[in-house]
Amino acid sequence: ISTTLQPRPGPMRVACFDTRHGLAVFVTTPDGYNILYDCGTRHLFFDPGAYTVGPALLQRGVRRIDLLVCSHSDIDHVSGVPAILERFDVGMAVCPAAMLEAGDGTMARGLMNWFRKYDVPVHAVVAGEMIGGLGRADVKVLHPLPPPMTTGRENSNETSVVLSIRTSDGTVLLTGDIEERGIAAVLRSEEARADVIVMPHHGRPVGNIGVLLDHVKPSVALLSAPVYMRSEEVMSKLDEAGVEVAATWDYGCIDVWMGEKLRIESWLKR
């Protein structure tokens, strides 16, 4: 899978936007390619694409998103995607196969109509695929597993696209809403090692989350959630693993600058 791009070189930067109960992560590679992983919230009267993510990206001078990833079809991950398509040139989109199937629900079918409206090519991805055309970044899909390892009966969370983005400045692991089965699948891959992890399912407690942290060995964990979703169990496991935590309930939008030394910036604490 490949797309054409217009790079702006610079340090690798990972931005986790505050969409309350939702997720939107924007990655700029050292070669200057732009990847948006999800853009959504569960709040019905707030469009993160129009009022948070879109304006912030425009302020940063972003006009093109080279790769748009829809991890799965839940509203808190994709509700802002139409506004993004209206405002930015999008090179291509990827999603799990379930989102391309008619039975995946009204939200997914609506998104496919938006992609057609703006002539954005959409590809279903499975574990093991590389997404090319992103300069020197190695962008690999770690989940969902291909058939017959998936049954088609998984809930949408367990079909989430998990992406590893590896560059000369470091590696970030984007995990969507995977739960125990999805985590078990990711544990099979050595590609899951990362400097920065966006915690699965907004940091909710999952039985094998400690095993995932031991496997990934991140330096920094990002959590996108309102404070009422804070899990003391997960926070304790992160502390035991020696992982630095940055959560949107505390930081607002989080910027992580990667390279020889990781640097975390908070929009609320500037």
Side-chain angles (χ1 to χ4, degrees):
I1 300 172
S2 177
T3 181
T4 56
L5 310 155
Q6 294 177 322
R8 292 185 180 181
M12 185 174 182
R13 184 179 185 182
V14 180
C16 184
F17 291 96
D18 183 6
T19 64
R20 305 304 172 103
H21 185 161
L23 185 66
V25 180
F26 187 73
V27 179
T28 303
T29 73
D31 293 327
Y33 300 117
N34 296 321
I35 301 168
L36 179 61
Y37 182 94
D38 285 348
C39 182
T41 185
R42 192 165 290 280
H43 292 263
L44 296 178
F45 302 106
F46 170 63
D47 186 335
Y51 300 116
T52 302
V53 180
L57 295 182
L58 290 170
Q59 185 181 40
R60 296 181 182 197
V62 175
R63 297 296 181 268
R64 176 180 171 85
I65 295 169
D66 302 298
L67 174 64
L68 172 61
V69 182
C70 295
S71 69
H72 62 302
S73 61
D74 283 5
I75 189 172
D76 55 326
H77 290 256
V78 297
S79 66
V81 168
I84 293 297
L85 296 173
E86 289 179 329
R87 290 161 173 78
F88 297 91
D89 174 25
V90 176
M92 66 173 288
V94 299
C95 65
M99 284 188 66
L100 296 181
E101 298 170 357
D104 191 47
T106 303
M107 176 62 71
R109 289 195 293 270
L111 279 176
M112 294 307 121
N113 289 334
W114 279 96
F115 287 133
R116 283 190 289 270
K117 177 179 179 180
Y118 288 97
D119 296 319
V120 177
V122 186
H123 302 277
V125 292
V126 295
E129 290 189 51
M130 298 292 296
I131 301 176
L134 295 166
R136 290 170 290 179
D138 290 328
V139 181
K140 187 170 185 178
V141 180
L142 305 187
H143 194 263
L145 298 175
M149 301 176 78
T150 52
T151 65
R153 296 190 297 272
E154 292 84 1
N155 67 52
S156 61
N157 292 337
E158 291 284 39
T159 67
S160 291
V161 173
V162 175
L163 211 63
S164 167
I165 304 173
R166 188 178 304 275
T167 77
S168 57
D169 283 351
T171 303
V172 59
L173 184 67
L174 306 167
T175 60
D177 274 356
I178 55 170
E179 298 172 359
E180 287 199 29
R181 291 180 64 183
I183 290 174
V186 170
L187 290 173
R188 302 171 190 167
S189 174
E190 290 301 318
E191 302 288 341
R193 300 287 174 85
D195 303 289
V196 176
I197 182 174
V198 177
M199 292 294 285
H201 210 176
H202 315 284
R204 287 182 175 177
V206 180
N208 52 358
I209 194 68
V211 182
L212 178 68
L213 292 173
D214 289 342
H215 184 70
V216 176
K217 301 188 185 320
S219 298
V220 172
L222 306 180
L223 291 93
S224 177
V227 69
Y228 65 79
M229 293 179 68
R230 174 189 169 109
S231 164
E232 293 304 324
E233 177 185 341
V234 172
M235 297 299 286
S236 176
K237 289 186 181 298
L238 287 163
D239 183 61
E240 291 172 6
V243 181
E244 185 174 1
V245 176
T248 57
W249 68 69
D250 188 32
Y251 279 65
C253 176
I254 306 161
D255 268 321
V256 181
W257 298 86
M258 300 179 68
E260 291 186 11
K261 185 177 181 180
L262 291 173
R263 186 174 88 250
I264 303 174
E265 292 183 355
S266 161
W267 284 31
L268 290 182
K269 298 183 179 184
R270 285 178 175 175

